Amino acid sequence: MNLNTLAWRNLWRHKRRTLITASSIAFGVLLAVTFTGAGDYFYTRMIDAGANMGMGHITLAAPDFNRAPSSKKVLKDTDSLLAQVEQIPEVKDVMARIQGQAMFASAHKSIGGMFFGVDPEQENPESNLFIKAMIEGGMPKSASDKTIVLGVDLARKLKLTMGKKVVYTTTDINGDIVSAIARVGGLFQTGSNEIDSAVALLPIQSVQQVLGYQQNEVSVLAVILHDQRHSHQLRDRMQAMSQFAHIEVLNWQQTQPDLAGMIAVDKSSNYISQLLIALLVAAGILNTMLMSVLERKREFGVMMALGMSPRNLFLLVMLESFWLAVLGLIIGTIVTIPWYLFMSQTGIDLSAAYGDGFSFGGVLLDTVFKIRLFKESIIAILVGLFTLALCAGAYPAWRAGQTPPVESLKTI
């Protein structure tokens, strides 16, 4: 009988103990999938939402624009840049935008806020959160239209309704104060008061005329990626390309440091929680294997007296840990798949607790609790728990091969 078969049979000499330990591994799989999947889902949603609010996963801008935004810092030759960026395989979409601060005034009140000059022909709901959040009216019909799209709270504070005039005042490319008039053509509601009370969208050509920009001059190019995880590597690649040598190429961590910091802190707490769960699972495996070794001390003595080497005895106990880990992972997979399918497709609606929407750092967060796993996360969970089970069985296996045969045979 080979060691593999013997190790498998040894597991079922105490069925209840084996099943309880395997169940603890399965429970560890379930919790690891839930914690990791929640992180993969929410971090991706938050990063994508932040990117779709103006700056993209990767931002191309004039040097030092991100540190100190100004109408004087202009990105030129954007038509050529757009064509080059669109050829990059990781890029899903790229939009030319003008970003700035302005004072919005109606007949009743003046309020400071932020505006984005956008090209309606380039924008779409998948890459622009404000279009998706539109509740009345719509985007400007052309890039030279004289309309403005306001957040509902900003419109309410200014006491503006559809078709009413609003004056926006800002500084142009020379630093001079300039003003223009636009009519309210649409209202959006993201659910975040911080956003809805301070942001407006304007047609990009109208903004260019007001600021004194040429037709191919903007503030930034917002690059949307198919997968936000590629932003760091793509940024480094673009920085090394000669065509972007005199342009500031930033990823979302640099343009949205508050969001990046919050995600980093949350990831750290998530890792600590998973580490504690892993230690509990490891303790259960260690306890099971150590009890098994101590109970079979006489048996091991007989086996060594009959010629089994300490090395093979160590290998036998390690194989028991191996099969215990495999059994636990199989049970964990069977239990976790229905839970994962439900949570990835339906999820749990938390809007009753948080309202229709809540935000952090100006980024709207999802109120539906869902989970999603990337391939590398699945591999990390399975390999991590499997390795943990083997490591937990190493000490009992070492103990099994260390006791001299004579001492073992004296045990009753």
Side-chain angles (χ1 to χ4, degrees):
M1 185 182 297
N2 61 42
L3 289 178
N4 256 319
T5 304
L6 184 59
W8 177 254
R9 290 185 176 181
N10 284 339
L11 282 182
W12 299 106
R13 292 165 65 177
H14 296 279
K15 294 181 181 179
R16 180 180 298 178
R17 186 164 63 195
T18 296
L19 288 174
I20 290 174
T21 307
S23 297
S24 71
I25 298 174
F27 186 63
V29 172
L30 180 65
L31 290 180
V33 166
T34 302
F35 279 106
T36 306
D40 285 352
Y41 177 80
F42 277 108
Y43 300 151
T44 299
R45 293 277 294 184
M46 291 163 63
I47 293 166
D48 288 346
N52 293 341
M53 284 169 54
M55 301 300 283
H57 295 112
I58 292 179
T59 303
L60 276 63
D64 203 41
F65 178 85
N66 185 63
R67 187 189 66 82
S70 170
S71 299
K72 296 180 181 180
K73 299 173 183 177
V74 179
L75 189 63
K76 300 182 179 181
D77 195 21
T78 54
D79 292 339
S80 174
L81 289 173
L82 274 167
Q84 294 175 49
V85 174
E86 286 174 346
Q87 300 303 313
I88 300 174
E90 294 93 337
V91 173
K92 177 182 178 182
D93 211 348
V94 55
M95 288 79 61
R97 292 169 175 168
I98 297 176
Q99 175 189 336
Q101 301 290 327
M103 182 66 72
F104 301 100
S106 67
H108 304 278
K109 196 173 184 181
S110 297
I111 296 176
M114 174 186 291
F115 69 85
F116 286 101
V118 298
D119 187 344
E121 295 182 2
Q122 293 180 354
E123 304 290 339
N124 59 78
E126 291 185 1
S127 302
N128 190 317
L129 181 68
F130 304 112
I131 298 178
K132 189 181 294 186
M134 202 76 66
I135 61 170
E136 191 174 354
M139 291 289 288
K141 295 180 180 180
S142 69
S144 58
D145 204 348
K146 300 298 182 182
T147 61
I148 186 171
V149 179
L150 301 174
V152 290
D153 291 334
L154 179 58
R156 178 180 53 79
K157 290 178 181 179
L158 293 172
K159 297 183 180 180
L160 293 172
T161 56
M162 293 290 294
K164 295 297 183 178
K165 292 181 180 179
V166 58
V167 177
Y168 60 95
T169 304
T170 184
T171 55
D172 65 8
I173 193 171
N174 300 312
D176 297 328
I177 297 176
V178 291
S179 298
I181 298 175
R183 288 187 181 274
V184 179
L187 300 174
F188 63 80
Q189 184 174 22
T190 64
S192 169
N193 179 262
E194 185 178 354
I195 300 167
D196 295 338
S197 63
V199 177
L201 305 181
L202 288 160
I204 193 167
Q205 288 184 13
S206 297
V207 177
Q208 287 171 332
Q209 293 174 5
V210 172
L211 298 181
Y213 287 8
Q214 299 298 316
Q215 190 170 355
N216 64 342
E217 294 179 340
V218 298
S219 298
V220 300
L221 290 185
V223 182
I224 305 296
L225 306 182
H226 292 288
D227 190 337
Q228 54 85 16
R229 292 174 293 168
H230 298 149
S231 62
H232 185 79
Q233 295 87 342
L234 182 57
R235 179 206 60 184
D236 293 344
R237 252 171 50 212
M238 293 177 70
Q239 286 177 335
M241 296 179 184
S242 58
Q243 57 266 45
F244 305 119
H246 303 293
I247 296 174
E248 191 173 64
V249 182
L250 306 170
N251 60 10
W252 65 268
Q253 289 99 327
Q254 294 168 300
T255 57
Q256 300 179 80
D258 289 345
L259 178 62
M262 189 275 287
I263 290 177
V265 170
D266 193 73
K267 276 186 176 181
S268 299
S269 62
N270 197 345
Y271 291 151
I272 292 173
S273 299
Q274 293 195 57
L275 177 61
L276 293 175
I277 293 169
L279 291 176
L280 290 175
V281 173
I285 297 170
L286 176 63
N287 180 65
T288 297
M289 298 308 301
L290 193 56
M291 286 178 62
S292 176
V293 166
L294 295 176
E295 289 174 357
R296 294 152 60 196
K297 199 171 182 182
R298 180 177 177 82
E299 175 188 328
F300 291 153
V302 173
M303 294 170 71
M304 294 176 72
L306 292 175
M308 178 174 279
S309 66
R311 177 181 175 277
N312 283 341
L313 196 55
F314 173 85
L315 184 59
L316 174 65
V317 179
M318 285 302 296
L319 283 171
E320 292 178 17
S321 297
F322 169 84
W323 286 116
L324 186 60
V326 169
L327 180 64
L329 291 178
I330 291 173
I331 296 174
T333 301
I334 294 171
V335 171
T336 303
I337 286 177
W339 168 252
Y340 177 79
L341 292 175
F342 169 76
M343 290 299 296
S344 62
Q345 296 173 10
T346 305
I348 301 173
D349 190 356
L350 301 177
S351 59
Y354 295 102
D356 293 332
F358 63 104
S359 64
F360 182 91
V363 176
L364 192 67
L365 307 182
D366 200 342
T367 56
V368 179
F369 177 71
K370 289 186 176 181
I371 61 177
R372 170 194 178 186
L373 284 176
F374 297 123
K375 291 181 180 178
E376 57 267 29
S377 297
I378 297 174
I379 294 172
I381 290 171
L382 295 178
V383 172
L385 286 173
F386 186 77
T387 303
L388 188 70
L390 292 183
C391 291
Y395 175 69
W398 176 81
R399 282 285 303 268
Q402 288 301 304
T403 306
V406 175
E407 293 294 329
S408 300
L409 290 172
K410 290 179 181 179
T411 304
I412 299 177

